Amino acid sequence: KDDEAAAKAAEEQAAEAAKRQAEMEAELQRLAALATGEVTVKYSMYAEKFPISEHKLTAATIDETYCLSDVMPGCFIHLAEKEFAHGEEHHYMKEDPPGTFHGLMAGETYWCYVQQDAEQEKRDQEMMRQRWAGASVGGGIGDRGSEGETCSCGWGAPCTNPMICKDWDNRFANAIKAGGNPILFTG
């Protein structure tokens, strides 16, 4: 009787090991199928698809589309699996070598984060300091001096205030002539 119980236990153990092995092989096949394809990379208000191969994507490929280094020369591009809240510590995808992201899965969404080169940022700030040196900017934070509302029909958006509009009776026609989309107009 003990031999039968031991044989049954060994058989169950072997069946469990075979089941685990089959599950592991199925998971490896699933992951291999996700190694090549497309991922979505979100940056600011943009969400573009990028090709991956062997679970990898390069910063250069992202930069070709988003032109980040054109705006921020010397910047560093990173990817994350989630969008971070303000003040939350950032944890990025593995990069090896820097600029080559590993572990991406086809069909998933990733978030692009950019770190400006510290030296370039200092040069940009100094340039802006010099540009605005001696300029008067109004009385307070956010005060850009005297501004007023003007007729928006010439910009493609019909006015909403007859006191400001240059041609109130023809505001919709003027906005359409300026390239406005009449589908967006509400009367």
Side-chain angles (χ1 to χ4, degrees):
K1 206 171 192 180
D2 288 338
D3 289 339
E4 286 178 25
K8 186 174 181 178
E11 188 177 301
E12 288 174 359
Q13 215 174 17
E16 184 64 31
K19 181 181 173 187
R20 280 194 309 270
Q21 180 67 26
E23 288 173 352
M24 187 172 61
E25 288 174 7
E27 179 65 6
L28 289 173
Q29 287 177 351
R30 184 186 76 80
L31 292 174
L34 296 174
T36 302
E38 287 185 331
V39 296
T40 300
V41 176
K42 291 187 173 189
Y43 177 72
S44 186
M45 63 186 157
Y46 306 103
E48 299 290 336
K49 295 202 180 293
F50 292 88
I52 62 168
S53 178
E54 297 178 16
H55 299 285
K56 296 177 193 173
L57 174 63
T58 65
T61 302
I62 295 169
D63 194 33
E64 284 176 23
T65 298
Y66 288 144
C67 302
L68 300 166
S69 63
D70 292 345
V71 178
M72 295 173 273
C75 68
F76 301 97
I77 298 171
H78 303 288
L79 284 185
E81 294 181 285
K82 65 179 236 167
E83 184 173 22
F84 298 109
H86 177 71
E88 184 178 359
E89 185 177 352
H90 291 203
H91 298 281
Y92 302 123
M93 301 294 294
K94 177 183 177 182
E95 295 181 46
D96 185 28
T100 300
F101 309 106
H102 292 258
L104 281 68
M105 301 285 200
E108 293 295 321
T109 298
Y110 299 92
W111 282 260
C112 178
Y113 290 91
V114 181
Q115 287 181 303
Q116 186 170 3
D117 175 63
E119 291 302 313
Q120 182 65 42
E121 185 174 19
K122 286 177 189 173
R123 288 191 296 272
D124 291 348
Q125 288 174 349
E126 182 57 32
M127 180 186 68
M128 294 309 291
R129 245 185 244 101
Q130 290 175 5
R131 179 177 178 187
W132 294 103
S136 176
V137 184
I141 296 175
D143 183 358
R144 298 186 300 191
S146 63
E147 292 183 3
E149 189 176 345
T150 62
C151 180
S152 61
C153 298
W155 298 101
C159 285
T160 57
N161 185 340
M163 300 300 291
I164 293 170
C165 190
K166 293 177 182 175
D167 186 4
W168 179 254
D169 293 332
N170 297 309
R171 66 188 180 278
F172 292 106
N174 291 334
I176 290 170
K177 283 181 195 172
N181 184 346
I183 294 172
L184 302 177
F185 299 169
T186 57

